[in-house]
Amino acid sequence: MKSSRKINGPVLGIETSCDETAAAIYDAGRGILAERVYSQIKLHEAYGGVVPELASRDHARRLLPLIREVMNEAGVTGEGLGGVAYTAGPGLMGALMVGAATGHALARGWSVPAIPVHHLEGHLLAPLLDKPAPAYPFLALLVSGGHTMLMRVEGLGRYEILGETLDDAVGEAFDKTALLLGLNYPGGPALEALAVSGRPIAPFPRPMTDRPGLDFSFSGLKTFTMNAVRQSAPYEGREADIARAFQEAVFDTLVIKCRRALKQTGLKRLVIAGGVGANQALRDRMQRLADDEGVTVYFPARHLCTDNAAMIAHVGTLILSASPNGPDFGGSRFFVRPRWGLSQ
Ligand code: KG4
Ligand code: ZN
């Protein structure tokens, strides 16, 4: 049997890897006690994407008040915490530094462990915050703004990457296509809403589905969509039709690869994680796939698909309880790694 460690209280989670400032308190027995996300969308909207320098400054302004709010709501003191978990990477260097420096300093001041957490591990294990939680092992499709991966998940820290994107991530392709269609940043939710009223047109290509393997590529589809926008004559509803054709091509591709991965691995549980997992059309498609294949599919609650701190506090708690001799997470130095592979 694996040894585990008793944790001395709930864990504070901090997330500042990109354009959301988030804090949450998670307790191993009682679940999420308090959570807040402050989105910087308005700040970056005029630029059509995240401006790293503005992001860091805003994290520095918002983070401490958010931490105070969640601690008050959960009724915990710093000394009463089991630890402070912060996102150490991957993400924007300056943005990560704010969360890491703050989390580490608070943990030192309160004499509790500071736990650096991998952002993708947060996404990947977020479905475990819901009931019923998927048992290990499972197949995970991680679809976010920065990553698109198929993974075999055996347990905490035991991940095998089966396939990943060779260029754009799915969320990135959504955001760039949305800009082409005249939608505001971040484009994913806006493109989803527009696609609802789209009518079927000639299908867009399903990239890399005609050859074996589990890797993805979305930059060609993005170019195809750009040409469709530039070369077709304008008509009422054209953008919605294109949005629908683009979304269907992306989700068909994801379904084809997930089906292949389920057959290849024989896994009976499928987890959808990351920001794009909030998309209802994707959820419907994956539910149908799971019914067809006789497997169970798990989606995190929508607000836990996109960036949040509950998923970071949750992984921090798992790491703490898996460290029977007490954590040793870099001692007096905080840890930030903007580029960080999940297998490292
Ligand atoms: O996981 P996440 O919040 O941040 C990263 O770690 O990247 O994912 C953000 C991405 C963005 O590209 C956003 O446009 C996309 O997820 N997204 C969606 C939807 N909600 C968020 N894409 C499609 N449909 C949605 N409903
Ligand atoms: Zn994320």
Side-chain angles (χ1 to χ4, degrees):
M1 203 180 96
K2 271 194 158 174
S3 46
S4 63
R5 172 173 180 269
K6 188 174 177 311
I7 306 172
N8 297 325
V11 169
L12 165 66
I14 293 174
E15 158 62 38
T16 62
S17 66
C18 190
D19 58 347
E20 256 100 30
T21 319
I25 307 284
Y26 174 79
D27 180 85
R30 290 178 293 160
I32 300 169
L33 303 184
E35 54 181 327
R36 292 278 190 289
V37 178
Y38 178 84
S39 169
Q40 301 180 350
I41 286 176
K42 283 267 163 288
L43 185 68
H44 302 294
E45 205 173 55
Y47 305 93
V50 180
V51 183
E53 182 66 15
L54 295 181
S56 321
R57 283 194 221 169
D58 210 51
H59 286 312
R61 190 160 41 224
R62 308 276 174 195
L63 183 56
L64 279 174
L66 282 189
I67 291 174
R68 221 171 273 129
E69 280 180 38
V70 291
M71 289 181 65
N72 284 342
E73 185 177 322
V76 292
T77 60
E79 290 76 8
L81 289 171
V84 180
Y86 62 86
T87 300
L92 302 170
M93 172 62 119
L96 290 167
M97 294 275 281
V98 175
T102 306
H104 199 270
L106 290 174
R108 296 272 291 175
W110 292 328
S111 301
V112 300
I115 314 130
V117 170
H118 195 297
H119 180 81
L120 294 187
E121 206 164 8
H123 278 304
L124 202 56
L125 302 183
L128 273 68
L129 286 163
D130 271 339
K131 295 222 172 8
Y136 299 119
F138 55 76
L139 176 71
L141 172 70
L142 178 66
V143 270
S144 72
H147 296 84
T148 297
M149 290 176 172
L150 267 167
M151 254 172 290
R152 181 191 178 92
V153 178
E154 294 279 350
L156 177 72
R158 292 162 62 208
Y159 317 115
E160 183 193 350
I161 298 174
L162 305 172
E164 59 190 323
T165 183
L166 305 178
D167 40 59
D168 289 358
V170 171
E172 186 183 0
F174 263 81
D175 294 340
K176 290 177 177 168
T177 303
L179 276 181
L180 280 174
L181 295 172
L183 303 170
N184 277 342
Y185 162 86
L191 197 151
E192 174 182 17
L194 183 63
V196 170
S197 59
R199 292 155 305 176
I201 54 175
F204 286 12
R206 274 63 175 148
M208 292 184 66
T209 51
D210 55 353
R211 57 181 110 156
L214 297 172
D215 285 336
F216 306 90
S217 163
F218 293 102
S219 71
L221 176 60
K222 190 186 61 194
T223 309
F224 185 95
T225 310
M226 185 169 72
N227 291 336
V229 173
R230 292 195 178 148
Q231 290 164 9
S232 64
Y235 61 86
E236 177 79 28
R238 185 183 69 139
E239 281 71 20
D241 294 352
I242 292 175
R244 173 174 165 162
F246 166 81
Q247 183 171 270
E248 277 182 0
V250 173
F251 292 168
D252 259 3
T253 306
L254 295 179
V255 166
I256 290 167
K257 297 285 167 136
C258 280
R259 193 190 302 276
R260 211 176 268 177
L262 285 168
K263 288 198 191 310
Q264 195 174 304
T265 59
L267 290 167
K268 292 290 170 213
R269 287 171 291 270
L270 169 64
V271 156
I272 310 297
V276 185
N279 184 297
Q280 189 57 46
L282 177 62
R283 289 175 172 240
D284 293 345
R285 296 292 313 271
M286 288 296 168
Q287 187 61 60
R288 251 184 285 150
L289 166 69
D291 295 344
D292 282 356
E293 295 295 322
V295 306
T296 311
V297 62
Y298 299 83
F299 309 100
R302 261 196 194 74
H303 75 284
L304 297 176
C305 283
T306 45
D307 287 350
N308 66 87
M311 67 182 192
I312 303 302
H314 171 239
V315 170
T317 306
L318 297 178
I319 293 175
L320 263 186
S321 67
S323 316
N325 302 320
D328 174 18
F329 304 124
S332 59
R333 297 185 26 212
F334 68 82
F335 169 81
V336 167
R337 195 181 275 182
R339 299 173 70 82
W340 188 7
L342 241 193
S343 45
Q344 286 171 285

